[in-house]
Amino acid sequence: MSKIVSLCKRRGFVFQSSEIYGGLKSCYDYGPLGAELKRNIAAEWWRSMVYERDNIVGLDASIMMHPQVWQTSGHLSGFSDPLVDCLNCKERFRADKAPRAEPGSSVNYVAGGKSGGAKLSAPVTDKGYVCPQCGAPTLSDERQFNLMFRTSLGPVDPLTEVARELDGKALPAAKIREMLEDAARKSVTYLRPETAQSMFVQFLNVQQSMSMKVPFGIAQVGKSFRNEIVTEHFIFRSCEFEQMEMEFFCEPGTQKEWMTYWRDERMAWYHRYANDKNAFRLRAHENDELAHYSDECYDVEYMYPWGWGELEGIASRTDYDLSRHAAESGVKLSYFDQQKTDPATGKPGWRYVPYVIEPAAGLTRSVLCFLIDAYAEETGVDAEGEGKTRVLLKLHPRLAPYKAAILPLVKKDGQPEMAMELVKEFRRLGINVSYDDKQSIGKRYSRHDEIGTPYCLTIDNDSVKDGTLTLRDRDTAKQVRLPVAEAVAAVKARLDAGM
Ligand code: GAP
């Protein structure tokens, strides 16, 4: 993991946000190559979800929505994690993720959690967990911490309003809190914690404007925000992240077969781009893991360096969301199928609330997963017989930031001009390539191996004389000679292979 984090910074994939000011916890910026990788993953998802299907269309909804959306969806009351403070080292952590210990057993820890502190011991409470940082069982009560970021819309600052009201008054803390909540409520809005809800509340607009017939889906890629208590593992869990979600609306009673279909489709999608297919698995949720509205759920899990963890959730959400939003808004979020018979009345025509299957993937988490899957080190010997290690990113060509690097061997003798002509040809086709004439050819090959460029096309002296070049394959390091005129077609054929 530390090698990947270091490569990400060194080669312009991911930087710490606001680094010159010491960074901001869990916030990351995608550098020139990270932005390309992220866009390519999203584009492949969009291609497989939207462009290759007649029954799925896209949406790009606003991040801030009417606050009632979050009231209705249950996020305001239930989208929270149990937060606990360690009274010994002051660490804040999630109770449900804390290390477990036998209630009543005695555990040892160090005062203040710092080395050199007094050695103490105390019994584990009947909650059965200890502080993940210092191991102490001396903990505050659990309180629910809502993960949504709250903000206010409009030019009124609720704090100024309350400050004015409080001026000169001495009130108890609970009263001040109530006044603050009241003032905030007037202009409150939230940063969305998932992209999904906009697809439910726009169900009717999309269905009617596009004359969609059930079964159909709405797909969306976009930012989501969660004020996570614990952010971890680089970009795996951050407060600002991107999701790729699709809501698939189907007839009640057909949800089981659609769940099987989408579960298998999504696994096949990851396998298409993976080097190590065994590092992906499907895990069915146990009954006690299921949300109250869900009748089946699978996680696509990936074997991260710290163990199996979630990459995507595929949930059967029944008719919960559409029914809830219909009940609260008063707008009928249902579908009328003229061809069907109403099972309740036996009459032709059936109006029903569609059931939903939701494959919900993390885009930024996929960036991490594909980087880990692609990272490889190969040991060999160089031309002088010295042992050396080659670092390479075996990214699928479709995901790679650059599809090819065009390298003039020297910066003279017509080679740069010839290389530039080739670059232009690729760019005319919308294929992102890199023109690179810096440093020795060996260093350039190493650089492009390390950023995952699948092909290097080298223009040399012979190219100018006979119109041929060398095409070097990143993974095998093998080189073949071919006519310059065939280079674009050769790279294009390789990009399309296996798709
Ligand atoms: N609409 C359903 C939903 O949002 P989720 O399991 O909470 O489901 C879906 O999120 C995916 O979004 C996860 O599988 C994960 O890949 C990604 N994700 C969730 N929280 C994240 C975070 N804090 N940082 C990065 N990715 C996250």
Side-chain angles (χ1 to χ4, degrees):
M1 198 54 191
S2 61
K3 285 180 180 176
I4 286 166
V5 174
S6 137
L7 184 146
C8 279
K9 176 167 179 186
R10 195 172 63 251
R11 294 299 189 195
F13 281 90
V14 183
F15 307 127
Q16 171 94 68
S17 159
S18 329
E19 192 184 290
I20 60 166
Y21 290 106
L24 184 63
K25 186 177 158 250
S26 120
C27 292
Y28 296 96
D29 294 345
Y30 290 80
L33 300 188
E36 291 298 330
L37 174 59
K38 182 150 68 67
R39 282 168 66 103
N40 291 344
I41 296 172
E44 287 303 295
W45 184 86
W46 195 265
R47 189 163 70 88
S48 94
M49 286 302 205
V50 180
Y51 292 161
E52 290 180 352
R53 297 172 197 272
D54 293 321
N55 62 350
I56 300 186
V57 288
L59 182 73
D60 187 355
S62 113
I63 284 171
M64 289 187 288
M65 299 174 75
H66 194 293
Q68 183 62 42
V69 169
W70 308 113
Q71 180 74 47
T72 307
S73 67
H75 283 84
L76 265 175
S77 54
F79 194 58
S80 49
D81 284 335
L83 171 68
V84 177
D85 288 305
C86 173
L87 303 178
N88 181 46
C89 72
K90 312 296 176 223
E91 172 81 357
R92 290 199 144 166
F93 62 91
R94 274 176 66 170
D96 56 336
K97 301 260 172 175
R100 314 308 294 179
E102 189 58 42
S105 63
S106 181
V107 290
N108 301 323
Y109 61 101
V110 176
K114 304 241 165 64
S115 61
K119 290 195 171 66
L120 303 171
S121 70
V124 176
T125 64
D126 40 359
K127 294 256 166 56
Y129 56 82
V130 295
C131 171
Q133 188 68 30
C134 70
T138 47
L139 308 167
S140 73
D141 285 341
E142 286 175 23
R143 55 194 186 283
Q144 289 301 315
F145 178 74
N146 195 292
L147 301 187
M148 282 199 294
F149 280 100
R150 185 159 70 165
T151 184
S152 58
L153 197 61
V156 186
D157 176 10
L159 292 184
T160 313
E161 227 177 85
V162 177
R164 211 174 286 137
E165 274 189 59
L166 281 176
D167 198 18
K169 292 182 199 146
L171 293 173
K175 179 70 190 160
I176 298 174
R177 167 106 211 162
E178 191 187 310
M179 288 168 73
L180 281 166
E181 289 290 346
D182 269 356
R185 205 166 295 129
K186 288 181 206 153
S187 57
V188 74
T189 186
Y190 301 89
L191 303 187
R192 67 181 179 200
E194 59 171 21
T195 59
Q197 291 303 318
S198 54
M199 295 184 267
F200 297 126
V201 300
Q202 292 294 6
F203 165 79
L204 218 50
N205 275 335
V206 173
Q207 190 266 319
Q208 290 176 348
S209 62
M210 301 299 287
S211 308
M212 302 306 288
K213 292 199 172 6
V214 170
F216 77 93
I218 307 178
Q220 181 166 208
V221 178
K223 292 239 174 187
S224 292
F225 301 82
R226 296 182 189 177
N227 199 359
E228 300 279 2
I229 296 171
V230 179
T231 52
E232 55 186 350
H233 305 308
F234 193 35
I235 54 174
F236 174 80
R237 191 185 309 284
S238 48
C239 291
E240 177 177 345
F241 57 99
E242 281 176 73
Q243 292 184 304
M244 308 183 286
E245 296 197 284
M246 195 273 291
E247 307 303 324
F248 193 76
F249 302 95
C250 63
E251 198 181 297
T254 63
Q255 69 271 25
K256 254 209 154 339
E257 63 202 73
W258 282 116
M259 174 53 126
T260 307
Y261 173 82
W262 282 112
R263 187 196 67 187
D264 297 346
E265 279 286 289
R266 292 303 302 143
M267 266 304 268
W269 186 82
Y270 287 107
H271 280 172
R272 208 173 302 153
Y273 303 97
N275 290 290
D276 180 7
K277 293 185 175 51
N278 293 325
F280 296 79
R281 73 174 186 192
L282 275 169
R283 187 181 68 79
H285 278 210
E286 302 292 336
N287 276 344
D288 61 0
E289 278 182 275
L290 289 176
H292 62 95
Y293 50 78
S294 174
D295 58 8
E296 200 177 9
C297 190
Y298 285 87
D299 279 349
V300 176
E301 292 190 333
Y302 181 69
M303 177 53 111
Y304 299 95
W306 59 90
W308 289 104
E310 184 181 334
L311 179 57
E312 168 163 350
I314 305 157
S316 175
R317 298 181 70 116
T318 65
D319 58 357
Y320 176 80
D321 304 272
L322 289 181
S323 299
R324 292 279 298 136
H325 285 301
E328 290 300 323
S329 65
V331 177
K332 248 192 212 160
L333 299 176
S334 59
Y335 177 78
F336 184 68
D337 190 336
Q338 289 177 327
Q339 314 299 322
K340 290 274 157 70
T341 304
D342 187 331
T345 62
K347 291 190 179 146
W350 183 20
R351 177 167 292 283
Y352 59 82
V353 179
Y355 272 44
V356 170
I357 303 297
E358 175 196 71
L363 171 55
T364 40
R365 201 172 279 187
S366 295
V367 169
L368 179 62
C369 156
F370 284 122
L371 281 170
I372 296 169
D373 173 71
Y375 185 88
E377 288 177 4
E378 280 175 6
T379 42
V381 281
D382 64 14
E384 284 80 43
E386 294 287 316
K388 64 164 192 182
T389 301
R390 182 166 86 104
V391 173
L392 63 163
L393 277 187
K394 290 185 171 182
L395 286 170
H396 189 286
R398 290 268 188 174
L399 304 187
Y402 295 122
K403 308 308 173 195
I406 320 295
L407 317 172
L409 194 61
V410 291
K411 284 195 240 181
K412 56 182 186 179
D413 302 336
Q415 292 181 23
E417 292 77 8
M418 202 170 171
M420 214 51 221
E421 275 311 305
L422 195 52
V423 167
K424 282 188 198 149
E425 216 180 310
F426 275 108
R427 289 185 181 158
R428 264 196 295 275
L429 292 172
I431 299 175
N432 190 24
V433 295
S434 158
Y435 173 86
D436 191 351
D437 60 8
K438 295 173 213 86
Q439 301 181 302
S440 72
I441 193 72
K443 288 215 167 96
R444 280 183 269 170
Y445 285 154
S446 298
R447 182 161 59 241
H448 283 284
D449 283 346
E450 227 187 332
I451 64 173
T453 308
Y455 309 108
C456 285
L457 302 172
T458 307
I459 303 281
D460 54 21
N461 238 336
D462 287 344
S463 311
V464 183
K465 284 189 216 139
D466 66 7
T468 61
L469 51 66
T470 53
L471 183 151
R472 176 182 178 275
D473 181 280
R474 174 196 66 201
D475 298 345
T476 60
K478 290 217 171 86
Q479 305 193 10
V480 289
R481 197 93 199 156
L482 75 161
V484 175
E486 289 171 20
V488 175
V491 169
K492 222 174 156 303
R494 284 166 169 82
L495 290 177
D496 291 341
M499 282 292 111

